[in-house]
């Protein structure tokens, strides 16, 4: 076990031991489009809906710790033995391989997160050759550009230019380039999931009703844009309040801030669900920020709603453990929390 893990494991163990703490991560920001809103999902107190599996996530480590009794003094015995919640990468992959949809929740500027994304995709593709990679990093109008790159009709530079990658996403291209190169080499579909920036920005400023017919073609029908998850609302509005306290925005923007966030989630969920319906023999691996995945509030619950009645297995991985987190007795942040290696 690395020295880094030894130093961090007690705090990570708090996640597994269901201790009620609050998120205090100051350096992880969820970028909310050009008008400078930031969704601080990982900096907020945790809320969770009641779910059947109320036990905590599995912590993915390279070597199991030996001092479990010290780390988990107040372990909830109804969850079984604490060692069952320490997973190796190999064990995690075995479980992920059984899923229809796998969510890899990233911190956008973490190069290690992206390296682990590629490793997981490569391992899953060996087990299941039919893999589709669904990416928050590309917006819906540019699906054709992504397809042209995969078909060898565009260079990598042309892909970034024609998809307006720098303008619309902007995190270092080299974080994602190896994943796109792998998809091209293996001829894997890549789904451009995200809502166009102009649409999300306009909804945040003026609401859904302000959208034109041409803008509406890139989002789900209004009836499918559900804002009725009160726990998710609390998370988003508290993030907005922190943004407002910092001197940005005003209170009238709060509900539209949440609506724009939900629109983002619903658009990505619709793209995933449509692909699953049309391609039931594929496994979909979703690359998105942790804020869209944590607790299942963002994308996963909305994919499930769209595929109601279908036998669907979804698994989620947080590729970076929060500095502090709550995995309350009513729910958990994800199925797995990945321990970074140096």
């Amino acid at each position: 076990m690395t020295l880094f893990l030894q130093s961090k494991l007690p705090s990570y163990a708090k996640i597994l031991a269901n201790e009620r703490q609050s998120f205090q991560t100051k350096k992880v920001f969820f970028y909310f489009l050009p008008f400078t809103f930031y969704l601080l999902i990982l900096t907020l107190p945790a809320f969770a809906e009641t779910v059947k599996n109320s036990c905590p996530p599995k912590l993915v480590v390279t070597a199991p710790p030996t001092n479990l009794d010290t780390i988990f003094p107040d372990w909830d015995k109804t969850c079984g033995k604490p060692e069952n919640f320490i997973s190796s990468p190999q064990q995690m992959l075995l479980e992920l391989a059984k899923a229809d949809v796998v969510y890899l929740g990233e911190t956008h500027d973490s190069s290690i997160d992206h390296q682990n994304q590629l490793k997981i995709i490569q391992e899953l593709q060996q087990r299941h050759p039919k893999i589709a990679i669904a990416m928050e990093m590309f917006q819906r109008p540019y699906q054709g550009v992504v397809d042209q790159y995969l078909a060898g009709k565009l260079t990598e530079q042309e892909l970034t230019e024609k998809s307006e990658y720098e303008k619309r996403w902007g995190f270092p291209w080299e974080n994602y380039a190896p994943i796109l190169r792998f998809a091209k080499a293996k001829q894997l579909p890549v789904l451009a999931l995200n809502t166009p920036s102009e649409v999300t920005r306009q909804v945040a400023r003026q609401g859904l009703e302000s959208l034109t017919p041409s803008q509406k073609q890139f989002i789900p029908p209004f009836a499918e844009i559900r804002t009725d998850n009160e726990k998710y609302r609390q998370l988003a509005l508290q993030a907005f309040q922190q943004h407002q306290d910092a001197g940005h925005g005003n209170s009238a923007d709060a509900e539209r801030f949440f609506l724009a966030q939900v629109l983002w989630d619903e658009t990505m969920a619709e793209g995933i669900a449509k692909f699953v319906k049309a391609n039931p023999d594929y496994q979909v691996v979703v690359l998105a920020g942790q804020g869209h995945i944590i607790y299942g509030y963002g994308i996963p619950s909305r994919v499930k709603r769209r595929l109601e009645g279908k036998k669907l297995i979804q698994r989620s991985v947080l590729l970076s453990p929060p500095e502090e987190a709550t995995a309350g007795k009513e729910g958990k942040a994800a199925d797995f929390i990945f321990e970074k290696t140096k």
Side-chain angles (χ1 to χ4, degrees), residues 269-321:
E270 182 188 54
I272 295 164
K274 282 184 175 180
F275 185 88
V276 170
K277 286 179 181 178
N279 303 274
D281 54 338
Y282 270 78
Q283 182 181 53
V284 180
V285 180
V286 181
L287 309 186
Q290 289 193 12
H292 291 292
I293 293 169
I294 197 166
Y295 291 106
Y297 290 162
I299 304 173
S301 64
R302 299 165 199 275
V303 170
K304 181 180 179 181
R305 189 186 79 226
R306 286 176 166 82
L307 297 175
E308 201 69 46
K310 171 182 170 58
K311 184 179 180 182
L312 180 71
I313 300 174
Q314 300 191 97
R315 293 288 179 264
S316 59
V317 181
L318 300 186
L319 293 159
S320 298

Side-chain angles (χ1 to χ4, degrees), residues 235-274:
L235 285 172
L237 296 188
Q238 188 162 347
F240 175 83
Q241 186 61 51
Q242 291 187 18
H243 176 82
Q244 186 180 3
D245 291 345
H248 307 286
N250 58 72
S251 59
D253 297 324
E255 285 299 326
R256 286 176 180 163
F257 174 90
F258 178 54
L259 175 60
Q261 170 69 14
V262 169
L263 173 62
W264 204 342
D265 294 326
E266 294 283 18
T267 300
M268 291 193 280
E270 182 188 54
I272 295 164
K274 282 184 175 180

Side-chain angles (χ1 to χ4, degrees), residues 123-134:
E123 292 286 346
L124 290 176
Q125 198 271 336
Q126 286 186 2
R127 292 167 167 80
H128 194 308
K130 290 189 173 182
I131 294 281
I133 304 172

Side-chain angles (χ1 to χ4, degrees), residues 146-285:
V146 174
D147 292 342
Q148 287 180 344
Y149 165 77
L150 296 172
K153 297 178 180 179
L154 295 179
T155 66
E156 208 167 286
Q157 182 176 346
E158 289 172 328
L159 167 63
T160 59
E161 290 174 354
K162 290 180 180 292
S163 67
E164 300 183 8
Y165 175 86
E166 291 297 331
K167 173 185 175 182
R168 295 174 178 275
W169 189 247
F171 290 95
W173 170 248
E174 280 305 316
N175 284 347
Y176 302 98
I179 296 171
L180 271 295
R181 292 167 193 158
F182 180 75
K184 181 179 179 181
K186 298 293 184 180
Q187 287 298 285
L188 307 179
V190 174
L191 311 182
L193 288 185
N194 215 337
T195 315
S197 301
E198 302 89 337
V199 173
T200 314
R201 183 167 60 246
Q202 185 165 325
V203 169
R205 290 173 173 171
Q206 302 178 47
L208 286 170
E209 299 302 330
S210 69
L211 296 178
T212 66
S214 62
Q215 289 174 319
K216 292 176 184 177
Q217 67 179 309
F218 297 115
I219 66 171
F222 288 178
E224 295 181 15
I225 301 171
R226 299 274 290 275
T227 59
D228 54 351
N229 184 329
E230 189 57 35
K231 299 301 185 182
Y232 195 26
R233 181 190 300 272
Q234 291 177 45
L235 285 172
L237 296 188
Q238 188 162 347
F240 175 83
Q241 186 61 51
Q242 291 187 18
H243 176 82
Q244 186 180 3
D245 291 345
H248 307 286
N250 58 72
S251 59
D253 297 324
E255 285 299 326
R256 286 176 180 163
F257 174 90
F258 178 54
L259 175 60
Q261 170 69 14
V262 169
L263 173 62
W264 204 342
D265 294 326
E266 294 283 18
T267 300
M268 291 193 280
E270 182 188 54
I272 295 164
K274 282 184 175 180
F275 185 88
V276 170
K277 286 179 181 178
N279 303 274
D281 54 338
Y282 270 78
Q283 182 181 53
V284 180
V285 180

Side-chain angles (χ1 to χ4, degrees), residues 73 79 107 181:
C79 287
T107 298
R181 292 167 193 158

